[in-house]
Amino acid sequence: MRILSMMIIGLLISLSSSYVLVTISIVSNNAVVTGPELLEQIIIAAILGIVIGLLSLIFELERLLFTIQLALHFLAVTLCVFIAGYFGRWFEHSGMFYVFVSEVIIYSIVWCILYVLQINDIEKINQELQKRKQ
């Protein structure tokens, strides 16, 4: 169930990020996107999101330090983004640097959100533990 959950979360984050980036790209370049091109980008984003969701399972490995897990995850995500960018021809519309910066921004936003959610979960768990002690 955890694997499916991570895949769905990755899919949703990827599709929403892709929608924003495609929209920005179209508006800033005054471009026109055909239906098949848009479908191709949606499929690439969906596959990318599912793979990144699966890569997030690296954080389940207790043998590795968190910093190592984070570095491995970021490197693997970057590799996947560049592979998806190659197949999606993202580098023709914007350079590799723009794609990388976009990835870093999205990665940072997602991690900040996940951090806040994790802090909230920890607080709830601590409250439940305090109730049990009383």
Side-chain angles (χ1 to χ4, degrees):
M1 190 64 172
R2 179 82 173 142
I3 293 173
L4 182 61
S5 172
M6 297 303 283
M7 290 170 61
I8 291 171
I9 290 169
L11 173 69
L12 295 175
I13 291 171
S14 182
L15 287 176
S16 59
S17 300
S18 174
Y19 179 78
V20 169
L21 292 173
V22 167
T23 302
I24 290 170
S25 178
I26 290 171
V27 169
S28 65
N29 295 326
N30 287 330
V32 176
V33 177
T34 65
E37 290 172 330
L38 187 57
L39 179 61
E40 177 185 24
Q41 294 304 317
I42 290 171
I43 291 169
I44 290 170
I47 293 169
L48 179 63
I50 290 169
V51 170
I52 291 173
L54 290 172
L55 287 172
S56 297
L57 293 172
I58 193 169
F59 296 106
E60 304 287 324
L61 301 175
E62 295 177 11
R63 291 178 276 140
L64 296 176
L65 295 173
F66 177 74
T67 52
I68 293 173
Q69 291 172 337
L70 188 62
L72 288 173
H73 186 260
F74 182 76
L75 290 173
V77 167
T78 300
L79 179 65
C80 291
V81 166
F82 284 151
I83 291 170
Y86 171 78
F87 286 107
R89 295 175 307 281
W90 299 345
F91 309 122
E92 295 172 11
H93 305 291
S94 48
M96 285 182 90
F97 180 74
Y98 175 79
V99 172
F100 180 72
V101 168
S102 298
E103 176 206 349
V104 169
I105 290 169
I106 293 167
Y107 198 90
S108 300
I109 290 170
V110 169
W111 270 107
C112 287
I113 291 169
L114 291 176
Y115 178 76
V116 168
L117 292 174
Q118 189 176 36
I119 294 295
N120 287 337
D121 288 344
I122 290 170
E123 287 177 10
K124 288 178 186 175
I125 291 169
N126 285 335
Q127 288 173 357
E128 286 298 318
L129 290 173
Q130 290 298 324
K131 286 180 186 177
R132 289 186 182 181
K133 284 184 180 179
Q134 297 173 0

